[in-house]
Coordinates of all heavy atoms in Angstrom, one line a residue:
M13 N 0.8 -1.2 0.0 CA 0.0 0.0 0.0 C 0.9 1.2 0.0 O 1.9 1.3 0.7 CB -0.9 0.0 1.2 CG -1.8 1.2 1.3 SD -2.6 1.4 2.9 CE -1.3 2.0 3.9
E14 N 0.5 2.2 -0.8 CA 1.2 3.5 -0.8 C 0.1 4.6 -0.6 O -1.0 4.5 -1.0 CB 1.9 3.7 -2.1 CG 3.1 2.8 -2.3 CD 3.8 3.1 -3.6 OE1 3.7 4.2 -4.1 OE2 4.5 2.2 -4.1
T15 N 0.5 5.7 0.1 CA -0.4 6.8 0.3 C 0.3 8.1 -0.1 O 1.5 8.2 0.0 CB -0.8 6.9 1.8 OG1 0.4 7.1 2.6 CG2 -1.5 5.6 2.2
T16 N -0.5 9.0 -0.5 CA -0.1 10.4 -0.8 C -1.1 11.3 -0.1 O -2.3 11.3 -0.3 CB -0.1 10.7 -2.3 OG1 0.6 9.7 -3.0 CG2 0.4 12.1 -2.6
K17 N -0.5 12.0 0.9 CA -1.4 12.9 1.8 C -1.1 14.3 1.5 O 0.0 14.8 1.3 CB -1.0 12.6 3.2 CG -1.8 13.3 4.2 CD -1.7 12.8 5.6 CE -0.4 13.2 6.3 NZ -0.4 12.9 7.8
E18 N -2.3 15.1 1.5 CA -2.2 16.5 1.2 C -3.3 17.1 2.2 O -4.4 16.7 2.2 CB -2.6 16.8 -0.2 CG -2.5 18.3 -0.6 CD -2.9 18.5 -2.0 OE1 -2.3 17.8 -2.9 OE2 -3.8 19.3 -2.3
I19 N -2.9 18.2 2.9 CA -3.8 18.9 3.8 C -4.0 20.3 3.2 O -3.0 21.0 3.0 CB -3.3 18.9 5.2 CG1 -3.2 17.5 5.8 CG2 -4.3 19.8 6.1 CD1 -2.7 17.4 7.2
N20 N -5.2 20.6 2.9 CA -5.6 22.0 2.5 C -6.5 22.6 3.5 O -7.7 22.3 3.5 CB -6.3 21.9 1.1 CG -5.4 21.5 0.0 OD1 -4.2 21.8 0.0 ND2 -5.9 20.6 -0.9
G21 N -6.0 23.4 4.4 CA -6.8 24.0 5.4 C -7.3 23.0 6.4 O -6.5 22.3 7.0
K22 N -8.6 22.8 6.4 CA -9.2 21.8 7.3 C -9.6 20.5 6.6 O -10.4 19.7 7.1 CB -10.4 22.4 8.0 CG -10.1 23.6 8.9 CD -9.5 23.0 10.2 CE -9.3 24.2 11.2 NZ -8.8 23.7 12.4
V23 N -9.1 20.3 5.4 CA -9.4 19.1 4.6 C -8.2 18.3 4.3 O -7.2 18.8 3.8 CB -10.1 19.5 3.2 CG1 -10.4 18.3 2.4 CG2 -11.3 20.4 3.4
L24 N -8.3 17.0 4.7 CA -7.2 16.0 4.4 C -7.6 15.2 3.2 O -8.7 14.6 3.2 CB -6.9 15.1 5.6 CG -5.9 14.0 5.3 CD1 -5.0 13.9 6.5 CD2 -6.5 12.7 5.0
N25 N -6.8 15.2 2.1 CA -7.0 14.4 1.0 C -5.9 13.3 1.0 O -4.7 13.6 1.1 CB -6.9 15.2 -0.3 CG -8.0 16.2 -0.5 OD1 -9.1 15.8 -0.6 ND2 -7.7 17.5 -0.4
L26 N -6.4 12.1 0.8 CA -5.4 11.0 0.9 C -5.7 10.0 -0.3 O -6.8 9.5 -0.4 CB -5.6 10.2 2.2 CG -4.6 9.1 2.5 CD1 -3.2 9.7 2.8 CD2 -5.0 8.2 3.6
A27 N -4.7 9.9 -1.1 CA -4.8 8.9 -2.2 C -4.1 7.6 -1.8 O -3.0 7.7 -1.3 CB -4.1 9.5 -3.5
I28 N -4.8 6.5 -2.0 CA -4.3 5.2 -1.5 C -4.2 4.3 -2.7 O -5.1 4.3 -3.5 CB -5.2 4.6 -0.4 CG1 -5.4 5.6 0.7 CG2 -4.7 3.3 0.1 CD1 -6.6 5.2 1.6
S29 N -3.1 3.5 -2.8 CA -3.0 2.5 -3.8 C -2.6 1.2 -3.2 O -1.9 1.1 -2.2 CB -2.1 3.0 -4.9 OG -0.8 3.1 -4.4
G30 N -3.0 0.1 -3.9 CA -2.7 -1.2 -3.4 C -3.7 -1.9 -2.6 O -4.9 -1.7 -2.7
H31 N -3.2 -2.7 -1.6 CA -4.1 -3.5 -0.8 C -4.2 -2.9 0.6 O -3.1 -2.5 1.1 CB -3.6 -4.9 -0.7 CG -3.7 -5.7 -1.9 ND1 -3.9 -7.1 -1.9 CD2 -3.7 -5.4 -3.2 CE1 -4.0 -7.5 -3.2 NE2 -3.8 -6.5 -4.0
I32 N -5.3 -2.9 1.2 CA -5.5 -2.5 2.6 C -5.9 -3.8 3.4 O -7.0 -4.2 3.3 CB -6.5 -1.4 2.8 CG1 -6.3 -0.2 1.9 CG2 -6.6 -1.0 4.3 CD1 -7.3 0.9 1.9
D33 N -4.9 -4.3 4.0 CA -5.1 -5.6 4.7 C -4.4 -5.6 6.1 O -4.1 -4.6 6.6 CB -4.5 -6.8 3.8 CG -3.0 -6.6 3.4 OD1 -2.3 -5.9 4.1 OD2 -2.6 -7.1 2.4
A34 N -4.3 -6.8 6.7 CA -3.8 -6.9 8.0 C -2.4 -6.3 8.1 O -2.0 -5.8 9.2 CB -3.8 -8.3 8.5
T35 N -1.6 -6.4 7.1 CA -0.2 -5.9 7.1 C -0.2 -4.4 6.9 O 0.6 -3.7 7.6 CB 0.6 -6.5 5.9 OG1 0.5 -7.9 6.1 CG2 2.0 -6.1 5.9
T36 N -1.1 -3.8 6.1 CA -1.0 -2.4 5.8 C -2.0 -1.5 6.5 O -1.8 -0.3 6.6 CB -1.2 -2.2 4.3 OG1 -2.5 -2.7 3.9 CG2 -0.1 -2.8 3.4
A37 N -3.0 -2.1 7.1 CA -4.0 -1.3 7.8 C -3.5 -0.5 9.0 O -3.8 0.7 9.1 CB -5.2 -2.2 8.3
P38 N -2.5 -1.1 9.8 CA -2.0 -0.3 10.9 C -1.2 0.9 10.3 O -1.2 2.0 10.9 CB -1.0 -1.2 11.6 CG -1.6 -2.6 11.3 CD -2.1 -2.5 9.9
E39 N -0.6 0.8 9.2 CA 0.1 1.9 8.5 C -0.8 3.0 8.1 O -0.6 4.2 8.4 CB 0.9 1.4 7.3 CG 1.6 2.5 6.6 CD 2.2 1.9 5.3 OE1 2.4 0.7 5.1 OE2 2.5 2.8 4.4
L40 N -2.0 2.6 7.6 CA -3.0 3.6 7.2 C -3.5 4.3 8.4 O -3.6 5.6 8.4 CB -4.1 2.9 6.4 CG -5.3 3.8 6.1 CD1 -4.9 4.9 5.1 CD2 -6.4 3.0 5.4
E41 N -3.8 3.6 9.5 CA -4.3 4.2 10.7 C -3.2 5.2 11.2 O -3.6 6.3 11.6 CB -4.6 3.2 11.7 CG -5.4 3.7 12.9 CD -6.0 2.6 13.7 OE1 -5.4 1.5 13.8 OE2 -7.0 2.8 14.3
K42 N -2.0 4.9 11.2 CA -0.9 5.7 11.6 C -0.8 7.0 10.8 O -0.6 8.1 11.3 CB 0.4 5.0 11.6 CG 1.6 5.7 12.3 CD 2.8 4.8 12.3 CE 3.9 5.5 13.0 NZ 5.1 4.7 13.0
V43 N -1.0 6.9 9.5 CA -0.9 8.0 8.5 C -1.9 9.1 8.9 O -1.6 10.3 8.8 CB -1.0 7.5 7.1 CG1 -1.3 8.7 6.1 CG2 0.2 6.7 6.6
V44 N -3.1 8.7 9.3 CA -4.2 9.7 9.5 C -4.5 10.0 11.0 O -5.1 11.0 11.3 CB -5.5 9.3 8.8 CG1 -5.3 9.2 7.3 CG2 -6.0 8.0 9.3
S45 N -4.0 9.2 11.9 CA -4.4 9.3 13.3 C -4.1 10.7 13.9 O -4.9 11.2 14.6 CB -3.7 8.2 14.1 OG -2.3 8.4 14.1
G46 N -2.9 11.3 13.5 CA -2.6 12.6 14.1 C -3.4 13.7 13.4 O -3.4 14.8 14.0
D47 N -4.0 13.4 12.3 CA -4.8 14.5 11.6 C -6.2 14.6 12.0 O -6.9 15.6 11.7 CB -4.6 14.3 10.1 CG -3.2 14.4 9.6 OD1 -2.5 15.4 10.0 OD2 -2.7 13.5 8.9
V48 N -6.8 13.6 12.6 CA -8.2 13.5 12.9 C -8.6 14.8 13.7 O -9.6 15.4 13.5 CB -8.6 12.3 13.7 CG1 -10.0 12.3 14.2 CG2 -8.4 11.0 12.8
A49 N -7.8 15.2 14.7 CA -8.1 16.3 15.5 C -7.9 17.7 14.8 O -8.5 18.7 15.1 CB -7.2 16.3 16.8
K50 N -7.1 17.7 13.7 CA -6.8 18.9 13.0 C -7.7 19.3 11.9 O -7.8 20.4 11.5 CB -5.4 18.8 12.4 CG -4.3 18.5 13.5 CD -3.0 18.4 12.7 CE -1.9 17.8 13.7 NZ -0.7 17.4 12.9
V51 N -8.4 18.3 11.3 CA -9.2 18.5 10.1 C -10.7 18.4 10.4 O -11.1 17.7 11.3 CB -8.7 17.6 8.9 CG1 -7.3 17.9 8.6 CG2 -9.0 16.2 9.2
E52 N -11.5 18.9 9.5 CA -12.9 18.8 9.6 C -13.5 17.8 8.5 O -14.6 17.4 8.6 CB -13.6 20.2 9.4 CG -13.2 21.2 10.5 CD -13.7 22.6 10.2 OE1 -14.3 22.8 9.1 OE2 -13.5 23.5 11.0
K53 N -12.6 17.5 7.6 CA -13.1 16.6 6.5 C -11.9 15.8 6.0 O -10.8 16.3 5.9 CB -13.6 17.5 5.3 CG -14.2 16.8 4.2 CD -14.7 17.8 3.2 CE -15.4 17.2 2.0 NZ -15.9 18.3 1.1
M54 N -12.2 14.5 5.8 CA -11.2 13.6 5.2 C -11.8 13.0 3.9 O -12.9 12.5 4.0 CB -10.8 12.4 6.2 CG -10.0 12.9 7.3 SD -9.3 11.4 8.2 CE -8.4 12.2 9.4
V55 N -11.0 13.1 2.9 CA -11.4 12.5 1.6 C -10.4 11.5 1.1 O -9.2 11.9 0.9 CB -11.6 13.6 0.5 CG1 -12.1 13.0 -0.8 CG2 -12.6 14.7 1.0
F56 N -10.8 10.3 1.0 CA -9.8 9.2 0.6 C -10.2 8.9 -0.9 O -11.3 8.5 -1.2 CB -10.0 8.0 1.4 CG -9.5 8.0 2.8 CD1 -9.0 9.2 3.4 CD2 -9.3 6.9 3.6 CE1 -8.5 9.3 4.7 CE2 -8.8 6.9 4.9 CZ -8.4 8.1 5.4
D57 N -9.1 9.0 -1.7 CA -9.3 8.5 -3.1 C -8.9 7.0 -3.2 O -7.8 6.6 -3.0 CB -8.3 9.3 -4.0 CG -8.4 9.0 -5.5 OD1 -9.1 8.0 -5.8 OD2 -7.8 9.7 -6.3
F58 N -9.9 6.2 -3.5 CA -9.8 4.8 -3.5 C -9.7 4.2 -4.9 O -9.8 3.1 -5.2 CB -11.0 4.1 -2.8 CG -10.8 3.7 -1.4 CD1 -10.2 4.5 -0.5 CD2 -11.3 2.5 -1.0 CE1 -10.0 4.1 0.8 CE2 -11.1 2.0 0.3 CZ -10.5 2.9 1.2
S59 N -9.4 5.1 -5.9 CA -9.3 4.7 -7.3 C -8.3 3.6 -7.6 O -8.4 2.8 -8.5 CB -9.1 5.9 -8.2 OG -7.9 6.5 -8.0
K60 N -7.2 3.5 -6.7 CA -6.2 2.6 -7.0 C -6.1 1.5 -5.8 O -5.1 0.8 -5.7 CB -4.8 3.3 -7.1 CG -4.8 4.1 -8.4 CD -3.5 4.8 -8.5 CE -3.5 5.6 -9.8 NZ -2.2 6.4 -9.9
V61 N -7.2 1.4 -5.0 CA -7.3 0.4 -4.0 C -7.8 -0.8 -4.7 O -9.0 -0.8 -5.2 CB -8.1 0.8 -2.8 CG1 -8.3 -0.3 -1.8 CG2 -7.5 2.0 -2.1
E62 N -7.1 -1.9 -4.6 CA -7.5 -3.1 -5.3 C -8.2 -4.1 -4.4 O -8.9 -5.0 -4.9 CB -6.2 -3.8 -5.9 CG -5.5 -2.9 -6.9 CD -4.0 -3.4 -7.0 OE1 -3.5 -4.3 -6.3 OE2 -3.3 -2.8 -7.9
Y63 N -8.0 -4.0 -3.1 CA -8.5 -5.0 -2.1 C -8.5 -4.4 -0.8 O -7.7 -3.6 -0.4 CB -7.5 -6.2 -2.1 CG -7.8 -7.2 -1.1 CD1 -8.8 -8.2 -1.2 CD2 -7.1 -7.2 0.1 CE1 -9.0 -9.1 -0.2 CE2 -7.3 -8.1 1.1 CZ -8.3 -9.1 1.0 OH -8.6 -10.0 1.9
I64 N -9.6 -4.7 0.0 CA -9.6 -4.3 1.4 C -10.1 -5.5 2.2 O -11.1 -6.2 1.9 CB -10.6 -3.1 1.6 CG1 -10.5 -2.6 3.0 CG2 -12.0 -3.4 1.2 CD1 -11.0 -1.2 3.2
S65 N -9.4 -5.8 3.3 CA -9.8 -6.9 4.2 C -10.5 -6.4 5.4 O -10.7 -5.2 5.6 CB -8.5 -7.6 4.7 OG -7.8 -6.8 5.6
S66 N -10.9 -7.3 6.3 CA -11.6 -6.9 7.5 C -10.7 -5.9 8.4 O -11.2 -5.0 9.0 CB -12.0 -8.1 8.4 OG -10.8 -8.8 8.7
A67 N -9.4 -6.1 8.3 CA -8.5 -5.1 9.1 C -8.6 -3.7 8.5 O -8.6 -2.7 9.2 CB -7.1 -5.6 9.0
G68 N -8.7 -3.6 7.2 CA -8.9 -2.3 6.5 C -10.2 -1.7 6.9 O -10.4 -0.5 7.1
L69 N -11.3 -2.6 6.9 CA -12.6 -2.1 7.3 C -12.6 -1.6 8.7 O -13.3 -0.6 9.0 CB -13.6 -3.2 7.1 CG -13.9 -3.7 5.7 CD1 -14.8 -4.9 5.7 CD2 -14.5 -2.6 4.8
R70 N -11.9 -2.2 9.6 CA -11.8 -1.7 11.0 C -11.2 -0.3 11.0 O -11.7 0.5 11.8 CB -11.0 -2.7 11.8 CG -11.8 -3.9 12.3 CD -11.1 -4.7 13.4 NE -9.9 -5.3 13.0 CZ -9.8 -6.4 12.3 NH1 -10.9 -7.1 12.0 NH2 -8.6 -6.9 12.0
V71 N -10.2 -0.1 10.2 CA -9.6 1.3 10.2 C -10.6 2.3 9.6 O -10.7 3.4 10.2 CB -8.3 1.2 9.3 CG1 -7.8 2.7 9.1 CG2 -7.2 0.4 10.0
L72 N -11.3 1.9 8.6 CA -12.3 2.9 8.0 C -13.4 3.2 9.1 O -13.8 4.3 9.2 CB -13.0 2.3 6.8 CG -12.1 2.1 5.6 CD1 -12.9 1.6 4.4 CD2 -11.3 3.3 5.2
L73 N -13.8 2.1 9.8 CA -14.8 2.3 10.9 C -14.3 3.2 11.9 O -15.0 4.1 12.4 CB -15.2 1.0 11.4 CG -16.3 1.0 12.6 CD1 -17.6 1.6 12.1 CD2 -16.5 -0.4 13.1
S74 N -13.1 3.0 12.4 CA -12.4 3.9 13.4 C -12.4 5.3 12.9 O -12.7 6.2 13.7 CB -11.0 3.3 13.7 OG -10.4 4.1 14.6
I75 N -12.0 5.5 11.7 CA -11.9 6.9 11.2 C -13.3 7.5 11.1 O -13.5 8.7 11.5 CB -11.2 6.9 9.8 CG1 -9.7 6.5 10.0 CG2 -11.3 8.3 9.2 CD1 -9.0 6.2 8.6
H76 N -14.2 6.8 10.6 CA -15.6 7.2 10.5 C -16.1 7.7 11.9 O -16.7 8.7 12.1 CB -16.5 6.2 9.9 CG -18.0 6.5 10.0 ND1 -18.6 7.4 9.2 CD2 -18.9 6.0 10.9 CE1 -19.9 7.5 9.6 NE2 -20.1 6.6 10.6
K77 N -15.9 6.8 12.9 CA -16.4 7.1 14.3 C -15.7 8.4 14.8 O -16.4 9.3 15.4 CB -16.1 6.0 15.2 CG -17.1 4.8 15.0 CD -16.8 3.7 16.0 CE -17.8 2.6 16.0 NZ -17.5 1.6 17.0
A78 N -14.4 8.5 14.6 CA -13.7 9.7 15.1 C -14.1 10.9 14.4 O -14.3 12.0 15.1 CB -12.2 9.5 14.9
M79 N -14.3 10.9 13.1 CA -14.8 12.1 12.4 C -16.2 12.5 12.8 O -16.6 13.6 13.0 CB -14.6 11.9 10.9 CG -13.2 11.8 10.5 SD -12.2 13.3 10.9 CE -12.8 14.5 9.8
S80 N -17.1 11.4 12.9 CA -18.5 11.7 13.2 C -18.6 12.2 14.6 O -19.5 13.1 14.8 CB -19.3 10.4 13.1 OG -19.4 10.0 11.8
S81 N -17.8 11.8 15.6 CA -18.0 12.2 16.9 C -17.6 13.7 17.1 O -18.1 14.3 18.1 CB -17.1 11.4 17.9 OG -15.7 11.7 17.7
K82 N -16.9 14.3 16.2 CA -16.6 15.7 16.3 C -17.3 16.5 15.2 O -17.0 17.7 15.0 CB -15.1 15.9 16.1 CG -14.5 15.4 14.8 CD -13.0 15.6 14.8 CE -12.7 16.6 13.7 NZ -11.4 17.3 13.8
G83 N -18.3 15.9 14.6 CA -19.1 16.6 13.6 C -18.4 16.8 12.2 O -18.8 17.6 11.4
G84 N -17.3 16.0 12.0 CA -16.6 16.1 10.8 C -17.2 15.2 9.7 O -18.2 14.5 9.9
E85 N -16.5 15.2 8.6 CA -17.0 14.4 7.4 C -15.9 13.5 6.9 O -14.7 13.8 6.9 CB -17.3 15.4 6.3 CG -18.4 15.0 5.4 CD -18.7 16.1 4.4 OE1 -18.2 17.2 4.4 OE2 -19.5 15.7 3.5
F86 N -16.3 12.2 6.5 CA -15.3 11.2 6.0 C -15.9 10.7 4.7 O -17.0 10.2 4.7 CB -15.1 10.1 7.0 CG -14.2 9.0 6.6 CD1 -13.0 9.3 6.0 CD2 -14.6 7.7 6.8 CE1 -12.2 8.2 5.5 CE2 -13.8 6.6 6.4 CZ -12.6 6.9 5.7
I87 N -15.2 10.8 3.6 CA -15.7 10.5 2.3 C -14.7 9.6 1.6 O -13.5 9.8 1.6 CB -15.9 11.8 1.4 CG1 -16.9 12.7 2.1 CG2 -16.4 11.4 0.0 CD1 -16.9 14.1 1.5
L88 N -15.2 8.6 0.9 CA -14.5 7.7 0.0 C -14.9 8.1 -1.4 O -16.0 8.1 -1.7 CB -14.7 6.2 0.3 CG -14.5 5.7 1.7 CD1 -14.8 4.2 1.7 CD2 -13.0 5.9 2.1
E89 N -13.9 8.3 -2.3 CA -14.1 8.6 -3.6 C -13.5 7.6 -4.6 O -12.5 7.0 -4.2 CB -13.5 10.0 -4.0 CG -14.2 11.2 -3.3 CD -13.6 12.5 -3.8 OE1 -12.4 12.6 -4.2 OE2 -14.4 13.5 -3.9
N90 N -14.1 7.5 -5.8 CA -13.6 6.6 -6.8 C -13.4 5.2 -6.4 O -12.3 4.6 -6.7 CB -12.3 7.2 -7.4 CG -12.4 8.7 -7.8 OD1 -13.4 9.0 -8.5 ND2 -11.5 9.5 -7.4
V91 N -14.3 4.6 -5.7 CA -14.2 3.3 -5.2 C -14.5 2.3 -6.3 O -15.5 2.4 -7.0 CB -15.2 3.0 -4.0 CG1 -15.1 1.6 -3.5 CG2 -15.0 4.0 -2.9
S92 N -13.6 1.3 -6.5 CA -13.7 0.3 -7.6 C -14.8 -0.6 -7.3 O -15.3 -0.7 -6.1 CB -12.4 -0.5 -7.7 OG -12.2 -1.4 -6.6
G93 N -15.3 -1.3 -8.3 CA -16.4 -2.2 -8.1 C -16.2 -3.3 -7.1 O -17.1 -3.6 -6.3
D94 N -15.0 -3.9 -7.1 CA -14.7 -5.0 -6.2 C -14.7 -4.5 -4.7 O -15.3 -5.1 -3.8 CB -13.4 -5.7 -6.5 CG -13.4 -6.5 -7.7 OD1 -14.5 -6.9 -8.2 OD2 -12.3 -6.8 -8.3
V95 N -14.1 -3.4 -4.5 CA -14.1 -2.8 -3.1 C -15.4 -2.4 -2.7 O -15.9 -2.6 -1.6 CB -13.0 -1.7 -3.0 CG1 -13.1 -1.0 -1.7 CG2 -11.6 -2.2 -3.3
K96 N -16.2 -1.8 -3.7 CA -17.6 -1.3 -3.4 C -18.4 -2.5 -3.0 O -19.3 -2.4 -2.1 CB -18.1 -0.6 -4.5 CG -19.3 0.3 -4.2 CD -19.7 1.2 -5.3 CE -20.5 2.4 -4.8 NZ -20.7 3.3 -5.9
N97 N -18.2 -3.7 -3.6 CA -19.0 -4.9 -3.3 C -18.7 -5.3 -1.9 O -19.6 -5.7 -1.1 CB -18.6 -6.0 -4.3 CG -19.2 -5.9 -5.6 OD1 -20.2 -5.1 -5.8 ND2 -18.7 -6.5 -6.6
V98 N -17.4 -5.2 -1.4 CA -17.1 -5.6 -0.1 C -17.8 -4.6 0.9 O -18.3 -5.0 1.9 CB -15.6 -5.6 0.1 CG1 -15.2 -5.7 1.6 CG2 -14.9 -6.6 -0.7
L99 N -17.8 -3.3 0.6 CA -18.4 -2.3 1.4 C -19.9 -2.6 1.5 O -20.5 -2.4 2.6 CB -18.1 -0.9 0.9 CG -16.7 -0.4 1.0 CD1 -16.5 0.9 0.3 CD2 -16.1 -0.4 2.4
E100 N -20.5 -3.0 0.4 CA -21.9 -3.3 0.4 C -22.3 -4.5 1.2 O -23.2 -4.5 2.0 CB -22.4 -3.4 -1.1 CG -23.9 -3.6 -1.2 CD -24.4 -3.6 -2.6 OE1 -23.5 -3.6 -3.5 OE2 -25.6 -3.7 -2.8
M101 N -21.5 -5.6 1.0 CA -21.8 -6.9 1.7 C -21.6 -6.7 3.2 O -22.3 -7.5 3.9 CB -20.9 -8.0 1.1 CG -21.3 -8.5 -0.2 SD -20.3 -9.9 -0.7 CE -18.7 -9.2 -1.0
T102 N -20.7 -5.9 3.6 CA -20.5 -5.7 5.1 C -21.4 -4.7 5.7 O -21.3 -4.4 6.9 CB -19.0 -5.4 5.3 OG1 -18.7 -4.2 4.6 CG2 -18.1 -6.5 4.9
G103 N -22.2 -4.0 4.9 CA -23.1 -2.9 5.4 C -22.4 -1.6 5.6 O -23.0 -0.6 6.1
F104 N -21.2 -1.4 5.2 CA -20.5 -0.2 5.3 C -21.1 0.9 4.4 O -21.0 2.1 4.8 CB -19.0 -0.3 5.0 CG -18.2 -0.8 6.2 CD1 -18.4 -2.0 6.8 CD2 -17.1 0.0 6.7 CE1 -17.7 -2.4 7.9 CE2 -16.4 -0.4 7.8 CZ -16.7 -1.6 8.4
L105 N -21.7 0.6 3.3 CA -22.3 1.6 2.5 C -23.5 2.3 3.2 O -23.9 3.4 2.8 CB -22.8 1.0 1.1 CG -21.7 0.6 0.2 CD1 -22.3 0.1 -1.1 CD2 -20.7 1.8 -0.1
S106 N -24.0 1.7 4.2 CA -25.2 2.3 4.9 C -24.8 3.4 5.8 O -25.6 4.3 6.1 CB -25.9 1.2 5.8 OG -25.1 0.8 6.8
F107 N -23.5 3.5 6.1 CA -23.1 4.7 6.9 C -21.9 5.5 6.4 O -21.7 6.6 6.8 CB -22.8 4.2 8.4 CG -21.7 3.2 8.5 CD1 -20.4 3.6 8.6 CD2 -22.0 1.9 8.6 CE1 -19.4 2.7 8.8 CE2 -21.0 0.9 8.7 CZ -19.7 1.3 8.8
L108 N -21.1 4.9 5.5 CA -20.0 5.6 4.9 C -20.5 6.5 3.7 O -21.4 6.0 3.0 CB -18.9 4.7 4.4 CG -18.0 4.0 5.4 CD1 -16.9 3.2 4.7 CD2 -17.3 5.1 6.3
K109 N -19.9 7.6 3.5 CA -20.2 8.5 2.4 C -19.3 8.1 1.3 O -18.1 8.2 1.4 CB -20.0 9.9 2.8 CG -20.8 10.9 1.9 CD -20.6 12.3 2.3 CE -21.7 12.7 3.3 NZ -21.7 14.2 3.6
V110 N -19.9 7.5 0.2 CA -19.1 7.1 -1.0 C -19.6 7.8 -2.2 O -20.8 7.8 -2.5 CB -19.2 5.5 -1.2 CG1 -18.5 5.1 -2.4 CG2 -18.8 4.8 0.1
R111 N -18.6 8.4 -2.9 CA -19.1 9.1 -4.1 C -18.1 8.8 -5.2 O -17.0 8.3 -5.1 CB -19.2 10.6 -3.9 CG -18.1 11.3 -3.3 CD -18.4 12.8 -3.2 NE -17.1 13.4 -2.9 CZ -16.9 14.6 -2.4 NH1 -18.0 15.3 -2.2 NH2 -15.8 15.1 -2.1

């Protein structure tokens, strides 16, 4: 997994590529954990995410909860069909903002 992070004011944009799994999920959490308190909006570009495991889903849930608890916004953009299917089957589409 590779990430490219950019902060514009109160918005964090993160482009992610590769797999988000048990090996890489802790790295993703570490990349954004310090920014949750600083930003009002997080936008993750998932156009190059090929796979997400339950460990990756746990990180997304954690970020969603942290942002929601402070009235912030968490958005996934450009989600591929396979990853979107995983989000749908696990019920994540019912609470995550995906566009």
Side-chain angles (χ1 to χ4, degrees):
M13 179 192 76
E14 292 184 23
T15 60
T16 304
K17 182 166 79 169
E18 181 182 311
I19 298 178
N20 294 320
K22 295 285 185 179
V23 179
L24 177 136
N25 292 294
L26 187 71
I28 305 168
S29 62
H31 291 212
I32 306 173
D33 54 25
T35 303
T36 59
E39 177 187 339
L40 176 60
E41 193 164 30
K42 188 175 180 181
V43 166
V44 299
S45 64
D47 297 311
V48 170
K50 300 175 192 172
V51 299
E52 296 172 359
K53 184 177 187 179
M54 287 192 178
V55 181
F56 286 12
D57 180 352
F58 261 43
S59 61
K60 295 182 181 175
V61 173
E62 302 159 353
Y63 171 81
I64 188 164
S65 73
S66 60
L69 293 173
R70 279 191 296 277
V71 172
L72 295 184
L73 180 60
S74 174
I75 294 167
H76 169 74
K77 285 182 175 182
M79 293 302 289
S80 293
S81 71
K82 62 181 240 157
E85 209 175 355
F86 178 47
I87 301 167
L88 301 180
E89 292 186 327
N90 307 313
V91 180
S92 72
D94 288 342
V95 173
K96 199 169 201 172
N97 286 340
V98 171
L99 295 174
E100 184 176 5
M101 285 188 290
T102 56
F104 275 60
L105 287 183
S106 67
F107 60 87
L108 285 182
K109 200 178 268 189
V110 178
R111 54 180 193 196

